[in-house]
Amino acid sequence: MGRKPSVRPGGRSARVQAAVHAAVRELEAEVGRPALTVPLVAARAGVTPSTIYRRWGDLQELLSDVAVERLRPEAPPEDHGRLSADLQNWAQQFLEEMASPPGRAYIRDALLGDPDGDNAGQCSAYAAEQIRIILARAAERGESFPDVETVIDRVVAPMMYRILFRPGNLTAAYAHTLVCETLDESVASR
């Protein structure tokens, strides 16, 4: 991913990225992932294969970039009026999305085409930002709350480990237990 130039909003680079990302998504749906090639994506996007190689390096780095974009949350987490409800709902939705077959594929792609670890860091930043929003709301309401890293370590990390290595029994109850334990420990330590 080190090859990717900065993107100016509305500039040619942004248009190329949007066209190539759209081509990848369309072709995955039409021909399946195993059939994807750089020339096929380039033809669909209306760019030359050299444009893709210059910007992304290879197909795996391109797929990684597309995956990171697909893992970006579309909206802030819902506000349910209290920390426990906000975090429970967010964790359950996060688990459902990441544990789904497309979610797992995006996670694998994000990691496989990322020699420098930038994509993993970006995905972590997405989760951290969502958690920050939830915790800021709790602070505004005067609730006691853990810090972002505690939620990452005790809620997100165990879910991601299980998604990647032990995908069975990933239920809403599992997410609920992680959140309850984290909030109980947070309250007990204050």
Side-chain angles (χ1 to χ4, degrees):
M1 293 279 304
R3 298 182 228 318
K4 192 167 36 168
S6 63
V7 178
R8 293 185 325 266
R12 181 181 186 285
S13 185
R15 288 190 301 274
V16 167
Q17 180 176 351
V20 171
H21 278 217
V24 168
R25 289 189 303 272
E26 291 165 7
L27 288 166
E28 275 184 317
E30 290 171 22
V31 302
R33 179 171 172 150
L36 286 182
T37 64
V38 168
L40 186 64
V41 171
R44 173 64 63 95
V47 300
T48 64
S50 64
T51 298
I52 292 175
Y53 289 122
R54 188 171 46 255
R55 182 178 175 108
W56 286 280
D58 62 21
L59 181 62
Q60 189 58 58
E61 286 191 45
L62 170 58
L63 294 174
S64 183
D65 192 45
V66 171
V68 170
E69 189 62 32
R70 297 295 296 263
L71 291 170
R72 178 191 309 266
E74 294 176 7
E78 293 180 33
D79 187 346
H80 296 276
R82 65 185 202 285
L83 174 59
S84 60
D86 289 353
L87 199 52
Q88 290 287 351
N89 284 314
W90 178 83
Q92 182 178 338
Q93 182 181 9
F94 180 86
L95 182 61
E96 287 172 2
E97 290 174 5
M98 296 299 127
S100 70
R104 276 201 263 260
Y106 294 141
I107 292 166
R108 281 190 303 270
D109 283 347
L111 298 175
L112 286 173
D114 184 26
D116 301 326
D118 294 339
N119 289 345
Q122 185 58 55
C123 292
S124 178
Y126 294 156
E129 180 56 28
Q130 294 277 294
I131 293 164
R132 260 188 218 85
I133 292 168
I134 291 169
L135 299 180
R137 289 177 187 154
E140 289 170 7
R141 293 188 293 256
E143 294 178 86
S144 177
F145 58 92
D147 63 29
V148 172
E149 291 305 312
T150 297
V151 177
I152 294 283
D153 290 345
R154 297 192 179 148
V155 177
V156 177
M159 288 192 300
M160 289 303 295
Y161 179 86
R162 286 193 173 260
I163 288 166
L164 292 170
F165 302 113
R166 300 190 63 159
N169 204 24
L170 292 171
T171 64
Y174 176 65
H176 180 80
T177 298
L178 293 172
V179 170
C180 285
E181 289 172 355
T182 301
L183 294 179
D184 289 348
E185 288 175 21
S186 172
V187 169
S189 69
R190 291 188 188 245

